[in-house]
C-alpha cells in the first residue's frame, strides 16, 4: 500500500501521527493509497520551517522571484500528462478535464510572472515643504491555503502562486481525498528554483485545519470548500487576527430567454451541468427557461443529450464526458437528494441513478439526472447537490427568472443566454452575483481578472488571483520622508497638516 506523507523543507517527510486516511480510485472503488494526517506537532514544525525560510525569500528581488514562476510554468507544461494522469486517478476526472484543471492553475502562475509590476507602490513628490511620501507593498510573512478535492491542481496554484511571488512562504493543506498532485506541484516549484521551506504541503483533516487557524505565525488563510466550513474558517481565522479569504458553495442559475439559440443553450447546459460529474463550484445546476414554449423546447433538446452522455473511467479515452464521483459517500448523498426531489414532486425526466458499468460495478459512477417542474421551496433547489443533476425551474417572464438567482442565498456564478443586448446589459447590471456569463455558461474569469462569489458563496473582502491576489497577500507601508534643509524651525506640537 502506497503511503503519502508531507512535503516540508523541500523534501518528502513521512507522517508520524499514526493516523491515515484512505485514498480511493473512484473508478474502481478500491483503496489505492493512504495519506498521513498531520498532528499538531507536525504542523508546528512545517510552520516553523516556513517562518525560518521566509525572510531571505522576501529579500529576494521580485524579478528573481518571478523567474521561479517562469520556470515553474515550463515544468508544468513538461509534466502536463503526468500531472493529469495522477489527478484523474485520484479524483476521477477525464484526462482532458484534468489537464484543464492544471492549465487553469498554470495561467495564474503565468500572471504571477508579472509580480514586479504588481508589487510597485506609489510616490508623491512635494507632499509638503521638502516632504515626499511613498508606499511599499510588502509580504505578510507565513500564509496558508486550505483547498478542496474538486480542483487539486488549480486552486492550490490560485493560492500559492501569488502568495509566493509576493514574497511570502506558504503552508498548503490540500484535500486528503486526492493529495498526490499538490505534492507534485511542490516538487516542481523546488525544481524551478524555489528555496526549501517556502512551499510546504501538510496533509491532514480538521486537526490540521484548526492548527492553521489558531497559529499566531500564520498571517492569512485562503479557503475553498462548502459554505458551512467557509464560515467556520472565516470566523475562527479572523478571531485569531488573520486575514481570511473564504469561498463556499454555489447554486448557479442559467437563464434561457425565448430568443436564445436553443441548440447553443442546450449544449452549454450539458457541458456546464455534467462536466466533472457536476463536482464544480461553477457548475450550472439550475436552468431557468423563460416561458412555457422555451421550457418545453429546452427539455426536448436536453433529454436525448443527457441520455446519450458517455460515462466511464478516465482510461476509457478522451471522448468520455464525465467520470465517477469522488467517494462512495458523495455518490450516496447525491442519490439521496435525487430521491428527495422525487418525493417533493419534481418530475424526474432522466434518471441516471441506476447506471452501472461492466467491470467497474464498485466504482462511484452515476448517470446524469434531469428534473423538470422544480420549485423554489424544494430541497433540491435550495441545496448545492454537487453531482450530475440539472434542475429546470420554469419562469413566466424575465423578472421572475431574474428573481430566482437574486433571492437565492448563494451568489457564485450565473449566466444568461439571449440575443438581445439590452436584456444582457440589464441582467449584468442588476444581478447580485459575483461572476456573470452572457452566452457563456461557466463564467470563470481569466487569471488577470479576479474570481469570487457574493452572498454565502464568499467571505472576505478580496477575491482570488488577479490584482486582488497580490493585495490579499501583501500589506501597504507608507513612508513620509523629509530631508532637513539646514534651517532649524524648532519642534511642532500640533498634528501635521498641509501647509
Amino acid at each position: 500500500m502506497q503511503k503519502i506523507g508531507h512535503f516540508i523543507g523541500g523534501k518528502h517527510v513521512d507522517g508520524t501521527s499514526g493516523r491515515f486516511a484512505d485514498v480511493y480510485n473512484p473508478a474502481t472503488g478500491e483503496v489505492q493509497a493512504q495519506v498521513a494526517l498531520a498532528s499538531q506537532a507536525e504542523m508546528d514544525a512545517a510552520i516553523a520551517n516556513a517562518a525560518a525560510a521566509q525572510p531571505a525569500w522576501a529579500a529576494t528581488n521580485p524579478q528573481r522571484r518571478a523567474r521561479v514562476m517562469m520556470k515553474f510554468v515550463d515544468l508544468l507544461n513538461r509534466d502536463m500528462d503526468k500531472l493529469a494522469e495522477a489527478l484523474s486517478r485520484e479524483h476521477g476526472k477525464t484526462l482532458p478535464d484534468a489537464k484543464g484543471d492544471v492549465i487553469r492553475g498554470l495561467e495564474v502562475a503565468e500572471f504571477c510572472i508579472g509580480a514586479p509590476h504588481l508589487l510597485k507602490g506609489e510616490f508623491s513628490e512635494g507632499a509638503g515643504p521638502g516632504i515626499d511620501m511613498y508606499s511599499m507593498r510588502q509580504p505578510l510573512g507565513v500564509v496558508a491555503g486550505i483547498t478542496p478535492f474538486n480542483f487539486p491542481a488549480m486552486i492550490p496554484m490560485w493560492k500559492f502562486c501569488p502568495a509566493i511571488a509576493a514574497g511570502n512562504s506558504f503552508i498548503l493543506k490540500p484535500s486528503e481525498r486526492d493529495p498526490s498532485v499538490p505534492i507534485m506541484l511542490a516538487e516542481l516549484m523546488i525544481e524551478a528554483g524555489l528555496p526549501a521551506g517556502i512551499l510546504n504541503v501538510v496533509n491532514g483533516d480538521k486537526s490540521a485545519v484548526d492548527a492553521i487557524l489558531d497559529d499566531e505565525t500564520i498571517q492569512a488563510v485562503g479557503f475553498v470548500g462548502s459554505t458551512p466550513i467557509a464560515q467556520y474558517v472565516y470566523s475562527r481565522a479572523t478571531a485569531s487576527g488573520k486575514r481570511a479569504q473564504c469561498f463556499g458553495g454555489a447554486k448557479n442559475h442559467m437563464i434561457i430567454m425565448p430568443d436564445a439559440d436553443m441548440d447553443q443553450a442546450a449544449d452549454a447546459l450539458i457541458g456546464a451541468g455534467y462536466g466533472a460529474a457536476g463536482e464544480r463550484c461553477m457548475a450550472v445546476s439550475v436552468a431557468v427557461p423563460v416561458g412555457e414554449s422555451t421550457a418545453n423546447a429546452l427539455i426536448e433538446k436536453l433529454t436525448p443529450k443527457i441520455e446519450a452522455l458517455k460515462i466511464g473511467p478516465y482510461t476509457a479515452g478522451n471522448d468520455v464526458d464525465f467520470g465517477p464521483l469522488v467517494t462512495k459517500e458523495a455518490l450516496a448523498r447525491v442519490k439521496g437528494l435525487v430521491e428527495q426531489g422525487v418525493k417533493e414532486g419534481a418530475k424526474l425526466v432522466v434518471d441516471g441513478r441506476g447506471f452501472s458499468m461492466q467491470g467497474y460495478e464498485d466504482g462511484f459512477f452515476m448517470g446524469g439526472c434531469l428534473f423538470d417542474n422544480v420549485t423554489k421551496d424544494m430541497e433540491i433547489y435550495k441545496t448545492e447537490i454537487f453531482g450530475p443533476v440539472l434542475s429546470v425551474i420554469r419562469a413566466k417572464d424575465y423578472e421572475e427568472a431574474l428573481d430566482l438567482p437574486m433571492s437565492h442565498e448563494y451568489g457564485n456564478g450565473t449566466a444568461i443566454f439571449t440575443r438581445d443586448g439590452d436584456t444582457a446589459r440589464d441582467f449584468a447590471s442588476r444581478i447580485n452575483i459575483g461572476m456573470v456569463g452572457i452566452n457563456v455558461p461557466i463564467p470563470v474569469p481569466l487569471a488577470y481578472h479576479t474570481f469570487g462569489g457574493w452572498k454565502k458563496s464568499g467571505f472576505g473582502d478580496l477575491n482570488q488571483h488577479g490584482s486582488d491576489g497580490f493585495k490579499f497577500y501583501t500589506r501597504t507601508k507608507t513612508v513620509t520622508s523629509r530631508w532637513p534643509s539646514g534651517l532649524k524651525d524648532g519642534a511642532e506640537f500640533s498634528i501635521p497638516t498641509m501647509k
Side-chain angles (χ1 to χ4, degrees):
M1 178 65 65
Q2 180 191 4
K3 299 285 187 181
I4 300 171
H6 315 294
F7 192 86
I8 300 172
K11 59 186 179 182
H12 292 271
V13 177
D14 292 335
T16 60
S17 70
R19 297 189 306 121
F20 293 88
D22 291 334
V23 180
Y24 288 88
N25 181 330
T28 64
E30 298 172 333
V31 176
Q32 59 181 323
Q34 287 190 316
V35 60
L37 302 176
S39 65
Q40 177 75 51
E42 288 175 302
M43 183 61 77
D44 289 344
I47 295 169
N49 189 286
Q54 191 270 333
W57 178 242
T60 302
N61 75 59
Q63 191 167 348
R64 292 187 180 277
R65 297 200 300 259
R67 287 174 184 166
V68 172
M69 286 295 161
M70 196 178 301
K71 180 63 175 177
F72 179 56
V73 168
D74 288 341
L75 297 174
L76 288 171
N77 282 304
R78 183 196 71 185
D79 288 0
M80 182 65 66
D81 291 342
K82 180 180 174 182
L83 289 162
E85 199 279 331
L87 197 159
S88 294
R89 188 174 62 247
E90 291 183 349
H91 178 279
K93 289 184 182 185
T94 65
L95 283 172
D97 197 28
K99 288 181 180 180
D101 189 330
V102 178
I103 291 167
R104 275 294 193 164
L106 179 155
E107 289 171 349
V108 170
E110 286 179 324
F111 174 74
C112 292
I113 294 170
H117 172 72
L118 294 160
L119 293 170
K120 288 191 299 186
E122 298 174 324
F123 184 87
S124 294
E125 181 185 10
I131 295 175
D132 299 326
M133 300 183 73
Y134 60 94
S135 63
M136 299 181 285
R137 300 207 71 87
Q138 296 189 321
L140 302 178
V142 181
V143 298
I146 302 164
T147 58
F149 77 87
N150 60 326
F151 285 96
M154 180 184 81
I155 295 178
M157 285 191 272
W158 283 12
K159 300 295 187 185
F160 73 67
C161 287
I164 288 172
N168 300 282
S169 57
F170 199 91
I171 304 292
L172 174 63
K173 206 300 288 181
S175 171
E176 63 274 23
R177 296 178 190 172
D178 40 15
S180 292
V181 169
I183 288 179
M184 294 168 71
L185 296 176
E187 292 172 337
L188 293 182
M189 285 292 283
I190 292 293
E191 187 178 347
L194 188 71
I198 299 302
L199 175 58
N200 293 328
V201 181
V202 184
N203 289 301
D205 53 9
K206 185 177 182 297
S207 297
V209 171
D210 288 344
I212 287 172
L213 300 180
D214 295 340
D215 190 276
E216 293 183 355
T217 302
I218 293 176
Q219 299 297 300
V221 177
F223 171 86
V224 177
S226 70
T227 285
I229 307 303
Q231 289 178 303
Y232 170 80
V233 170
Y234 183 77
S235 61
R236 187 156 176 169
T238 53
S240 299
K242 303 184 195 322
R243 291 186 181 184
Q245 177 195 63
C246 302
F247 297 94
K251 197 71 176 181
N252 304 319
H253 297 65
M254 181 173 133
I255 294 173
I256 302 96
M257 297 299 292
D259 67 340
D261 182 318
M262 205 55 59
D263 288 314
Q264 182 190 41
D267 285 340
L269 281 168
I270 293 295
Y274 299 99
E279 291 179 323
R280 294 170 174 162
C281 66
M282 289 298 286
V284 172
S285 56
V286 182
V288 188
V290 176
E292 285 299 309
S293 60
T294 307
N296 293 335
L298 183 67
I299 293 292
E300 184 179 347
K301 294 280 188 185
L302 287 173
T303 301
K305 292 178 182 290
I306 296 167
E307 292 173 338
L309 286 168
K310 184 175 180 181
I311 303 160
Y314 75 92
T315 51
N318 290 347
D319 61 340
V320 172
D321 294 313
F322 66 88
L325 278 81
V326 70
T327 62
K328 186 177 182 179
E329 292 76 17
L331 177 62
R333 177 182 175 275
V334 173
K335 286 185 175 181
L337 283 164
V338 172
E339 177 63 27
Q340 188 166 353
V342 173
K343 290 179 180 177
E344 289 177 325
K347 181 181 178 182
L348 188 56
V349 179
V350 181
D351 185 356
R353 290 174 294 173
F355 176 84
S356 180
M357 187 170 184
Q358 187 175 1
Y360 293 88
E361 290 84 0
D362 294 328
F364 311 136
F365 290 99
M366 177 177 168
C369 292
L370 174 65
F371 277 111
D372 193 10
N373 301 120
V374 175
T375 57
K376 290 177 67 174
D377 59 325
M378 293 180 181
E379 192 62 33
I380 57 169
Y381 175 70
K382 294 185 284 187
T383 299
E384 182 179 32
I385 297 176
F386 226 58
V389 182
L390 178 64
S391 297
V392 175
I393 182 166
R394 298 177 178 227
K396 294 183 182 67
D397 54 32
Y398 170 70
E399 289 296 333
E400 183 180 332
L402 182 66
D403 179 66
L404 289 166
M406 290 279 285
S407 59
H408 203 284
E409 66 176 344
Y410 292 130
N412 207 45
T414 189
I416 188 169
F417 273 61
T418 181
R419 289 187 173 98
D420 184 73
D422 182 56
T423 302
R425 290 185 76 249
D426 182 79
F427 181 78
S429 175
R430 291 169 61 189
I431 196 71
N432 57 350
I433 305 289
M435 290 168 284
V436 180
I438 297 171
N439 299 317
V440 174
I442 306 178
V444 178
L446 292 174
Y448 42 88
H449 285 269
T450 68
F451 179 107
W454 290 11
K455 296 183 282 187
K456 287 192 176 180
S457 294
F459 304 88
D461 298 328
L462 292 167
N463 288 341
Q464 299 179 97
H465 63 69
S467 59
D468 275 13
F470 281 85
K471 291 175 184 175
F472 180 74
Y473 290 115
T474 59
R475 52 190 160 204
T476 302
K477 179 185 290 181
T478 304
V479 179
T480 303
S481 171
R482 180 172 66 184
W483 295 100
S485 64
L487 301 175
K488 190 170 179 63
D489 298 326
E492 291 188 18
F493 294 95
S494 60
I495 189 168
T497 60
M498 179 69 67
K499 297 179 180 176

mmCIF file of all heavy atoms in Angstrom, residues 302-332:
data_model
loop_
_atom_site.group_PDB
_atom_site.id
_atom_site.type_symbol
_atom_site.label_atom_id
_atom_site.label_comp_id
_atom_site.label_asym_id
_atom_site.label_seq_id
_atom_site.Cartn_x
_atom_site.Cartn_y
_atom_site.Cartn_z
ATOM 1 N N LEU A 302 -32.672 18.782 -24.286
ATOM 2 C CA LEU A 302 -31.781 18.243 -23.260
ATOM 3 C C LEU A 302 -31.902 16.738 -23.094
ATOM 4 O O LEU A 302 -30.892 16.035 -22.915
ATOM 5 C CB LEU A 302 -32.055 18.918 -21.905
ATOM 6 C CG LEU A 302 -31.605 20.363 -21.719
ATOM 7 C CD1 LEU A 302 -32.112 20.907 -20.397
ATOM 8 C CD2 LEU A 302 -30.080 20.466 -21.776
ATOM 9 N N THR A 303 -33.125 16.221 -23.116
ATOM 10 C CA THR A 303 -33.359 14.830 -22.747
ATOM 11 C C THR A 303 -32.503 13.837 -23.532
ATOM 12 O O THR A 303 -31.781 13.020 -22.924
ATOM 13 C CB THR A 303 -34.853 14.493 -22.878
ATOM 14 O OG1 THR A 303 -35.605 15.368 -22.028
ATOM 15 C CG2 THR A 303 -35.119 13.055 -22.473
ATOM 16 N N PRO A 304 -32.516 13.864 -24.860
ATOM 17 C CA PRO A 304 -31.681 12.880 -25.576
ATOM 18 C C PRO A 304 -30.187 13.104 -25.376
ATOM 19 O O PRO A 304 -29.405 12.145 -25.383
ATOM 20 C CB PRO A 304 -32.078 13.080 -27.045
ATOM 21 C CG PRO A 304 -32.650 14.461 -27.119
ATOM 22 C CD PRO A 304 -33.300 14.693 -25.795
ATOM 23 N N LYS A 305 -29.773 14.355 -25.180
ATOM 24 C CA LYS A 305 -28.350 14.637 -24.964
ATOM 25 C C LYS A 305 -27.880 14.036 -23.639
ATOM 26 O O LYS A 305 -26.769 13.497 -23.547
ATOM 27 C CB LYS A 305 -28.091 16.144 -24.980
ATOM 28 C CG LYS A 305 -28.278 16.816 -26.344
ATOM 29 C CD LYS A 305 -28.058 18.317 -26.246
ATOM 30 C CE LYS A 305 -28.291 19.013 -27.591
ATOM 31 N NZ LYS A 305 -27.218 18.689 -28.567
ATOM 32 N N ILE A 306 -28.720 14.135 -22.599
ATOM 33 C CA ILE A 306 -28.353 13.595 -21.289
ATOM 34 C C ILE A 306 -28.350 12.074 -21.327
ATOM 35 O O ILE A 306 -27.447 11.419 -20.779
ATOM 36 C CB ILE A 306 -29.314 14.121 -20.203
ATOM 37 C CG1 ILE A 306 -29.176 15.637 -20.085
ATOM 38 C CG2 ILE A 306 -29.035 13.453 -18.855
ATOM 39 C CD1 ILE A 306 -30.271 16.309 -19.276
ATOM 40 N N GLU A 307 -29.327 11.503 -21.999
ATOM 41 C CA GLU A 307 -29.397 10.043 -22.106
ATOM 42 C C GLU A 307 -28.214 9.477 -22.885
ATOM 43 O O GLU A 307 -27.830 8.317 -22.694
ATOM 44 C CB GLU A 307 -30.717 9.632 -22.765
ATOM 45 C CG GLU A 307 -31.939 9.921 -21.903
ATOM 46 C CD GLU A 307 -33.252 9.677 -22.619
ATOM 47 O OE1 GLU A 307 -33.250 9.688 -23.876
ATOM 48 O OE2 GLU A 307 -34.274 9.482 -21.936
ATOM 49 N N ALA A 308 -27.629 10.288 -23.758
ATOM 50 C CA ALA A 308 -26.515 9.824 -24.594
ATOM 51 C C ALA A 308 -25.146 10.120 -23.988
ATOM 52 O O ALA A 308 -24.116 9.814 -24.617
ATOM 53 C CB ALA A 308 -26.614 10.475 -25.978
ATOM 54 N N LEU A 309 -25.081 10.717 -22.804
ATOM 55 C CA LEU A 309 -23.790 11.037 -22.197
ATOM 56 C C LEU A 309 -22.948 9.780 -22.031
ATOM 57 O O LEU A 309 -23.437 8.731 -21.595
ATOM 58 C CB LEU A 309 -24.003 11.701 -20.831
ATOM 59 C CG LEU A 309 -24.498 13.147 -20.851
ATOM 60 C CD1 LEU A 309 -24.948 13.580 -19.462
ATOM 61 C CD2 LEU A 309 -23.422 14.089 -21.383
ATOM 62 N N LYS A 310 -21.663 9.893 -22.358
ATOM 63 C CA LYS A 310 -20.741 8.770 -22.192
ATOM 64 C C LYS A 310 -20.037 8.902 -20.849
ATOM 65 O O LYS A 310 -19.347 9.883 -20.588
ATOM 66 C CB LYS A 310 -19.719 8.729 -23.325
ATOM 67 C CG LYS A 310 -18.792 7.515 -23.241
ATOM 68 C CD LYS A 310 -17.851 7.399 -24.422
ATOM 69 C CE LYS A 310 -16.964 6.163 -24.277
ATOM 70 N NZ LYS A 310 -16.012 6.029 -25.425
ATOM 71 N N ILE A 311 -20.246 7.898 -20.007
ATOM 72 C CA ILE A 311 -19.723 7.922 -18.652
ATOM 73 C C ILE A 311 -18.757 6.755 -18.496
ATOM 74 O O ILE A 311 -19.023 5.647 -18.979
ATOM 75 C CB ILE A 311 -20.881 7.792 -17.630
ATOM 76 C CG1 ILE A 311 -21.907 8.910 -17.860
ATOM 77 C CG2 ILE A 311 -20.359 7.831 -16.202
ATOM 78 C CD1 ILE A 311 -23.262 8.623 -17.278
ATOM 79 N N GLY A 312 -17.624 7.000 -17.842
ATOM 80 C CA GLY A 312 -16.671 5.921 -17.662
ATOM 81 C C GLY A 312 -15.401 6.388 -16.984
ATOM 82 O O GLY A 312 -15.254 7.570 -16.646
ATOM 83 N N PRO A 313 -14.444 5.487 -16.794
ATOM 84 C CA PRO A 313 -13.169 5.852 -16.173
ATOM 85 C C PRO A 313 -12.311 6.670 -17.125
ATOM 86 O O PRO A 313 -12.508 6.630 -18.343
ATOM 87 C CB PRO A 313 -12.528 4.491 -15.884
ATOM 88 C CG PRO A 313 -13.089 3.589 -16.936
ATOM 89 C CD PRO A 313 -14.503 4.062 -17.153
ATOM 90 N N TYR A 314 -11.352 7.381 -16.581
ATOM 91 C CA TYR A 314 -10.503 8.224 -17.423
ATOM 92 C C TYR A 314 -9.699 7.405 -18.415
ATOM 93 O O TYR A 314 -9.272 7.906 -19.453
ATOM 94 C CB TYR A 314 -9.580 9.086 -16.559
ATOM 95 C CG TYR A 314 -8.409 8.342 -15.939
ATOM 96 C CD1 TYR A 314 -7.183 8.273 -16.584
ATOM 97 C CD2 TYR A 314 -8.518 7.718 -14.696
ATOM 98 C CE1 TYR A 314 -6.101 7.602 -16.020
ATOM 99 C CE2 TYR A 314 -7.457 7.050 -14.126
ATOM 100 C CZ TYR A 314 -6.244 6.994 -14.786
ATOM 101 O OH TYR A 314 -5.187 6.324 -14.226
ATOM 102 N N THR A 315 -9.504 6.129 -18.132
ATOM 103 C CA THR A 315 -8.736 5.262 -19.017
ATOM 104 C C THR A 315 -9.524 4.847 -20.257
ATOM 105 O O THR A 315 -8.969 4.224 -21.172
ATOM 106 C CB THR A 315 -8.312 3.995 -18.259
ATOM 107 O OG1 THR A 315 -9.469 3.415 -17.631
ATOM 108 C CG2 THR A 315 -7.289 4.322 -17.180
ATOM 109 N N ALA A 316 -10.819 5.199 -20.314
ATOM 110 C CA ALA A 316 -11.663 4.779 -21.436
ATOM 111 C C ALA A 316 -11.509 5.663 -22.668
ATOM 112 O O ALA A 316 -12.128 5.397 -23.694
ATOM 113 C CB ALA A 316 -13.129 4.751 -21.002
ATOM 114 N N GLY A 317 -10.717 6.731 -22.560
ATOM 115 C CA GLY A 317 -10.480 7.572 -23.726
ATOM 116 C C GLY A 317 -10.944 9.000 -23.523
ATOM 117 O O GLY A 317 -11.684 9.313 -22.588
ATOM 118 N N ASN A 318 -10.507 9.860 -24.427
ATOM 119 C CA ASN A 318 -10.787 11.289 -24.298
ATOM 120 C C ASN A 318 -12.202 11.674 -24.698
ATOM 121 O O ASN A 318 -12.591 12.834 -24.555
ATOM 122 C CB ASN A 318 -9.789 12.101 -25.130
ATOM 123 C CG ASN A 318 -8.390 12.070 -24.546
ATOM 124 O OD1 ASN A 318 -8.196 11.658 -23.402
ATOM 125 N ND2 ASN A 318 -7.410 12.481 -25.322
ATOM 126 N N ASP A 319 -12.978 10.710 -25.210
ATOM 127 C CA ASP A 319 -14.352 11.040 -25.576
ATOM 128 C C ASP A 319 -15.343 10.751 -24.448
ATOM 129 O O ASP A 319 -16.547 10.913 -24.617
ATOM 130 C CB ASP A 319 -14.770 10.292 -26.838
ATOM 131 C CG ASP A 319 -14.725 8.775 -26.686
ATOM 132 O OD1 ASP A 319 -14.027 8.292 -25.774
ATOM 133 O OD2 ASP A 319 -15.379 8.071 -27.475
ATOM 134 N N VAL A 320 -14.841 10.328 -23.288
ATOM 135 C CA VAL A 320 -15.711 10.161 -22.118
ATOM 136 C C VAL A 320 -16.159 11.550 -21.654
ATOM 137 O O VAL A 320 -15.354 12.480 -21.558
ATOM 138 C CB VAL A 320 -14.962 9.431 -20.979
ATOM 139 C CG1 VAL A 320 -15.789 9.434 -19.699
ATOM 140 C CG2 VAL A 320 -14.641 8.005 -21.386
ATOM 141 N N ASP A 321 -17.457 11.697 -21.373
ATOM 142 C CA ASP A 321 -17.990 13.005 -20.967
ATOM 143 C C ASP A 321 -17.708 13.314 -19.500
ATOM 144 O O ASP A 321 -17.331 14.433 -19.160
ATOM 145 C CB ASP A 321 -19.493 13.061 -21.240
ATOM 146 C CG ASP A 321 -19.797 13.009 -22.732
ATOM 147 O OD1 ASP A 321 -19.149 13.752 -23.489
ATOM 148 O OD2 ASP A 321 -20.666 12.221 -23.139
ATOM 149 N N PHE A 322 -17.924 12.342 -18.631
ATOM 150 C CA PHE A 322 -17.538 12.534 -17.234
ATOM 151 C C PHE A 322 -17.333 11.185 -16.565
ATOM 152 O O PHE A 322 -17.773 10.142 -17.069
ATOM 153 C CB PHE A 322 -18.533 13.413 -16.461
ATOM 154 C CG PHE A 322 -19.914 12.831 -16.259
ATOM 155 C CD1 PHE A 322 -20.196 12.028 -15.162
ATOM 156 C CD2 PHE A 322 -20.952 13.139 -17.122
ATOM 157 C CE1 PHE A 322 -21.472 11.517 -14.948
ATOM 158 C CE2 PHE A 322 -22.234 12.645 -16.924
ATOM 159 C CZ PHE A 322 -22.496 11.822 -15.834
ATOM 160 N N GLY A 323 -16.645 11.229 -15.435
ATOM 161 C CA GLY A 323 -16.303 10.019 -14.716
ATOM 162 C C GLY A 323 -17.104 9.858 -13.437
ATOM 163 O O GLY A 323 -18.209 10.387 -13.304
ATOM 164 N N PRO A 324 -16.548 9.140 -12.475
ATOM 165 C CA PRO A 324 -17.258 8.885 -11.227
ATOM 166 C C PRO A 324 -17.236 10.081 -10.290
ATOM 167 O O PRO A 324 -16.486 11.043 -10.492
ATOM 168 C CB PRO A 324 -16.459 7.729 -10.628
ATOM 169 C CG PRO A 324 -15.066 7.956 -11.134
ATOM 170 C CD PRO A 324 -15.222 8.494 -12.517
ATOM 171 N N LEU A 325 -18.075 10.021 -9.269
ATOM 172 C CA LEU A 325 -17.958 10.969 -8.174
ATOM 173 C C LEU A 325 -16.754 10.581 -7.323
ATOM 174 O O LEU A 325 -16.200 9.483 -7.449
ATOM 175 C CB LEU A 325 -19.233 11.009 -7.336
ATOM 176 C CG LEU A 325 -20.345 11.892 -7.929
ATOM 177 C CD1 LEU A 325 -21.090 11.138 -9.020
ATOM 178 C CD2 LEU A 325 -21.327 12.359 -6.871
ATOM 179 N N VAL A 326 -16.364 11.454 -6.428
ATOM 180 C CA VAL A 326 -15.072 11.279 -5.769
ATOM 181 C C VAL A 326 -15.070 10.187 -4.710
ATOM 182 O O VAL A 326 -14.066 9.512 -4.501
ATOM 183 C CB VAL A 326 -14.581 12.633 -5.186
ATOM 184 C CG1 VAL A 326 -15.445 13.062 -4.000
ATOM 185 C CG2 VAL A 326 -13.107 12.569 -4.811
ATOM 186 N N THR A 327 -16.186 9.982 -4.009
ATOM 187 C CA THR A 327 -16.245 8.978 -2.955
ATOM 188 C C THR A 327 -17.599 8.277 -2.958
ATOM 189 O O THR A 327 -18.575 8.768 -3.537
ATOM 190 C CB THR A 327 -16.038 9.591 -1.548
ATOM 191 O OG1 THR A 327 -17.102 10.519 -1.292
ATOM 192 C CG2 THR A 327 -14.692 10.292 -1.430
ATOM 193 N N LYS A 328 -17.647 7.157 -2.263
ATOM 194 C CA LYS A 328 -18.899 6.420 -2.095
ATOM 195 C C LYS A 328 -19.916 7.255 -1.345
ATOM 196 O O LYS A 328 -21.117 7.237 -1.646
ATOM 197 C CB LYS A 328 -18.615 5.120 -1.342
ATOM 198 C CG LYS A 328 -19.801 4.184 -1.224
ATOM 199 C CD LYS A 328 -19.398 2.889 -0.533
ATOM 200 C CE LYS A 328 -20.553 1.911 -0.451
ATOM 201 N NZ LYS A 328 -20.135 0.635 0.208
ATOM 202 N N GLU A 329 -19.438 8.034 -0.369
ATOM 203 C CA GLU A 329 -20.330 8.891 0.417
ATOM 204 C C GLU A 329 -20.920 9.999 -0.445
ATOM 205 O O GLU A 329 -22.098 10.342 -0.310
ATOM 206 C CB GLU A 329 -19.579 9.487 1.608
ATOM 207 C CG GLU A 329 -19.161 8.490 2.675
ATOM 208 C CD GLU A 329 -17.968 7.630 2.301
ATOM 209 O OE1 GLU A 329 -17.232 8.012 1.342
ATOM 210 O OE2 GLU A 329 -17.762 6.573 2.925
ATOM 211 N N ALA A 330 -20.114 10.561 -1.336
ATOM 212 C CA ALA A 330 -20.617 11.600 -2.238
ATOM 213 C C ALA A 330 -21.695 11.037 -3.152
ATOM 214 O O ALA A 330 -22.723 11.676 -3.396
ATOM 215 C CB ALA A 330 -19.467 12.184 -3.055
ATOM 216 N N LEU A 331 -21.471 9.831 -3.661
ATOM 217 C CA LEU A 331 -22.453 9.179 -4.522
ATOM 218 C C LEU A 331 -23.766 8.951 -3.782
ATOM 219 O O LEU A 331 -24.855 9.241 -4.310
ATOM 220 C CB LEU A 331 -21.890 7.847 -5.025
ATOM 221 C CG LEU A 331 -22.810 6.985 -5.882
ATOM 222 C CD1 LEU A 331 -23.200 7.703 -7.165
ATOM 223 C CD2 LEU A 331 -22.150 5.639 -6.197
ATOM 224 N N ALA A 332 -23.679 8.456 -2.552
ATOM 225 C CA ALA A 332 -24.889 8.193 -1.767
ATOM 226 C C ALA A 332 -25.644 9.483 -1.466
ATOM 227 O O ALA A 332 -26.883 9.518 -1.495
ATOM 228 C CB ALA A 332 -24.520 7.475 -0.467
#
